[in-house]
Amino acid sequence: MNILVVAAEVAPFAKVGGLADMTGALPRAWSEEGHDVAVMLPLYGTIDVEHYGIVKTSHVVSVPVGYWTEYAEVWKGFLPDTSVPVYFLRSSEYFDRKGIYGYHDGFEDNDRRYLFFCRAAIETAKALGFQPDVIHAHDYHTAPCMPMLATQYRHDPFYAHTAGVFTIHNMAFQGMYDPVRAMEFGGFPPSEFYPQSWYEHHGSFNAMKAGIMFADKVTTVSPTYSQEIRWTNEGMGLQGALQKRAADLVGVLNGIDTSIWNPTSDVHTAVPFDVRTLAKKAVNKRALLREARLPSGAEAADLPVIGMVSRLTEQKGIPIMMRAVWDILEQRRARLIILGSGMREYEDFFLRAEERFPEHVRFVKGYNEPLSHRIQAGADLYLMPSQFEPCGLTQMYAMAYGTVPVVRSIGGLADTVTHYERSTLQGTGVRFHDYDESAVAYALDHALGLYNDEPHWTQVRTNAMQQDNSIGVAARHYLEVFSWARERHA
Ligand code: ADP
């Protein structure tokens, strides 16, 4: 099958969150199964062209925007250690700047940037002669590829049999644009924008809704989330659209790229280990404590370390964990190492905690890929009290590294972590249900109890490490969805 992936983030080139991990990992897995995959990504100013060996091709593609034409330079690289081509579309006007989306509210012209990119990706595939059986678009940024394919390219013989599959990684970001601008930049007839049309939601152009309505198949990143977005507020207002597409909506659980996230071969960690050499995890723990400039002597290393690697936003449940974590720190029952950045008030909280408990807390503000691996390898517990979580990857990374996840049982967290039961010796972590402070406190207390309770501590870590969360399962499920989508255009 020829698969064209169009995305605003692809690891390792441009990453903000889990979207990038998936768009980086799935093409590799499909290509290993013998499929032809091409990936399209904007050439952001932040991408280190030299480091990744990305070179300019001779292609400059004409991109219809509104009633005029713009141009995209085509640059080319490969997903690391694969023969999967990644085409980087360059437009100095849209992408030669620092940052991917821009801070907080995003760049003012994100509507125009991504509508341009969607159109450019479809035009580029044609210019390169890469005829996709499926265009796989991700999240609101590239959702407009779906209406473009269905309304502007369906009659082009090149795309006559191409199916469109749209994957929702997070309903919270929908791409609500000014309708006059978006319909024009996208080349959609203004007459198609009216109350409750496939482009419209509460008076705005809604890229996510258009993606949902025009795709042949819609997927989201976990089975539980695929239900939550239809039936609860997690649909963020688009429950109706999702209900209409219910027959074509599939939950495909994310997986992890074990060529990158693997404790036996991780280039970023102190020592390799696996489930049979779990004791070596202690070496990684002490190395992490040293790196974090926390006490790391044998006695100090006895205290459990709670790790977190996260965007610091409300979604990640920061408000409900503050009290519980503070109490635990006050009782000196654990250490906390947290890597992330986001809302000021949450950053301030962790800075305060660090000041108050200098021997027990390290807050590393910012984005740091190597350190994120070392936290997964060195921590004992991994806290993820999310308000909502489409899938979540970091709890799966934690499990792979024998770090016990403490999670709220919603979305993908419910699909990936089972609660450890002492009576059956089954389970891979600690789960709690309610979105409140006392639930987190209870769960952490329970987890700290497990830490001190052999053989259960070894058992839960072993169970976590033995759970197969690898990307291969997800990759095959997507291929199945692609073939269903193609049936509509055979
Ligand atoms: P989301 O996509 O909602 O942010 P996920 O758990 O699906 O959450 O994916 C987050 C990804 O981003 C993981 O690969 C995680 O390791 C990474 N990540 C998040 N914050 C940081 C950070 N500050 N430094 C390094 N990696 C980070």
Side-chain angles (χ1 to χ4, degrees):
M1 213 185 299
N2 287 354
I3 304 164
L4 178 67
V5 174
V6 188
E9 296 178 35
V10 176
F13 312 107
K15 170 167 162 176
V16 174
L19 162 64
D21 290 298
M22 293 313 291
T23 54
L26 285 168
R28 178 198 304 268
W30 293 325
S31 139
E32 279 167 10
E33 300 255 325
H35 299 280
D36 263 333
V37 192
V39 181
M40 302 267 175
L41 176 70
L43 186 56
Y44 299 110
T46 43
I47 295 178
D48 188 341
V49 174
E50 269 172 37
H51 176 75
Y52 293 115
I54 299 165
V55 293
K56 190 173 165 186
T57 71
S58 57
H59 291 276
V60 178
V61 175
S62 307
V63 185
V65 177
Y67 53 83
W68 62 97
T69 300
E70 300 186 2
Y71 299 91
E73 274 179 20
V74 182
W75 292 55
K76 185 178 181 185
F78 292 91
L79 281 179
D81 307 318
T82 72
S83 55
V84 177
V86 183
Y87 297 101
F88 296 86
L89 307 187
R90 173 159 187 259
S91 154
S92 53
E93 189 186 340
Y94 298 132
F95 303 123
D96 270 10
R97 33 179 121 163
K98 290 272 170 254
I100 295 180
Y101 306 125
Y103 295 105
H104 300 296
D105 295 337
F107 294 124
E108 257 179 22
D109 59 349
N110 272 350
D111 52 353
R112 190 165 175 171
R113 295 169 79 224
Y114 286 110
L115 284 160
F116 168 84
F117 172 61
C118 290
R119 198 73 190 261
I122 299 176
E123 288 291 337
T124 302
K126 190 173 172 186
L128 296 170
F130 183 83
Q131 190 168 27
D133 296 302
V134 179
I135 295 181
H136 190 192
H138 296 262
D139 270 352
Y140 79 88
H141 330 94
T142 57
C145 286
M146 299 293 102
M148 287 175 182
L149 178 64
T151 66
Q152 297 163 353
Y153 290 88
R154 183 58 68 215
H155 303 296
D156 180 335
F158 191 82
Y159 283 112
H161 301 289
T162 302
V165 173
F166 175 52
T167 293
I168 300 165
H169 294 257
N170 197 333
M171 284 302 298
F173 306 101
Q174 300 185 356
M176 284 175 279
Y177 302 147
D178 174 275
V180 176
R181 282 170 61 93
M183 294 303 277
E184 178 170 23
F185 297 147
F188 307 119
S191 58
E192 290 299 306
F193 186 87
Y194 49 85
Q196 305 203 2
S197 85
W198 287 7
Y199 300 94
E200 192 271 352
H201 189 63
H202 292 321
S204 291
F205 176 98
N206 187 306
M208 179 74 94
K209 180 176 176 186
I212 291 168
M213 297 312 293
F214 282 99
D216 292 305
K217 292 283 171 191
V218 180
T219 77
T220 187
V221 289
S222 70
T224 297
Y225 193 61
S226 76
Q227 295 298 324
E228 288 172 349
I229 58 178
R230 280 175 61 194
W231 301 109
T232 75
N233 288 339
E234 299 316 339
M236 308 265 171
L238 291 185
Q239 292 92 318
L242 291 158
Q243 290 293 9
K244 286 199 186 95
R245 297 307 313 274
D248 294 305
L249 175 64
V250 188
V252 180
L253 190 64
N254 275 349
I256 68 178
D257 186 338
T258 48
S259 69
I260 298 171
W261 291 95
N262 191 332
T264 64
S265 57
D266 194 318
V267 291
H268 301 299
T269 56
V271 291
F273 63 100
D274 64 14
V275 73
R276 288 181 308 275
T277 53
L278 193 49
K280 287 196 191 156
K281 190 170 158 63
V283 181
N284 288 298
K285 178 174 179 179
R286 290 177 72 170
L288 175 67
L289 287 168
R290 269 197 304 279
E291 181 176 358
R293 299 187 312 282
L294 292 173
S296 59
E299 211 169 292
D302 267 355
L303 209 58
V305 170
I306 303 170
M308 278 182 89
V309 178
S310 184
R311 294 183 290 117
L312 301 180
T313 63
E314 206 175 347
Q315 177 197 336
K316 298 296 177 182
I318 313 297
I320 60 161
M321 61 163 275
M322 293 177 174
R323 175 90 259 146
V325 166
W326 194 273
D327 287 349
I328 282 168
L329 292 167
E330 214 147 43
Q331 295 155 14
R332 309 290 190 263
R333 290 177 68 198
R335 292 197 162 84
L336 174 71
I337 300 181
I338 169 151
L339 165 65
S341 60
M343 284 175 64
R344 186 68 177 277
E345 64 173 294
Y346 304 145
E347 292 180 356
D348 286 349
F349 168 78
F350 291 115
L351 285 171
R352 266 202 319 280
E354 194 175 53
E355 228 171 74
R356 174 84 166 74
F357 310 106
E359 302 239 308
H360 289 76
V361 178
R362 184 65 63 238
F363 169 44
V364 182
K365 187 178 151 182
Y367 190 89
N368 186 331
E369 188 81 28
L371 178 59
S372 74
H373 287 243
R374 290 193 284 273
I375 290 178
Q376 296 291 11
D380 297 297
L381 296 167
Y382 189 84
L383 180 59
M384 210 159 168
S386 305
Q387 186 184 27
F388 63 94
E389 197 59 72
C391 182
L393 290 170
T394 49
Q395 82 282 9
M396 289 195 254
Y397 299 150
M399 285 191 273
Y401 287 72
T403 300
V404 175
V406 180
V407 304
R408 187 158 169 252
S409 50
I410 38 98
L413 299 175
D415 292 333
T416 52
V417 179
T418 48
H419 188 73
Y420 181 77
E421 293 291 348
R422 284 183 172 84
S423 55
T424 59
L425 307 180
Q426 305 281 315
T428 56
V430 175
R431 283 169 50 150
F432 64 95
H433 185 269
D434 293 347
Y435 187 71
D436 61 37
E437 292 179 342
S438 58
V440 182
Y442 183 83
L444 276 176
D445 188 62
H446 185 80
L448 294 175
L450 261 185
Y451 177 84
N452 289 310
D453 188 9
E454 286 294 1
H456 298 292
W457 180 241
T458 301
Q459 186 68 50
V460 63
R461 292 191 297 166
T462 304
N463 295 350
M465 288 182 90
Q466 283 176 336
Q467 182 167 306
D468 181 7
N469 289 318
S470 58
I471 189 84
V473 182
R476 281 190 292 278
H477 199 169
Y478 275 110
L479 291 171
E480 205 173 8
V481 175
F482 293 166
S483 58
W484 296 334
R486 289 180 65 197
E487 284 171 12
R488 292 179 118 193
H489 305 288

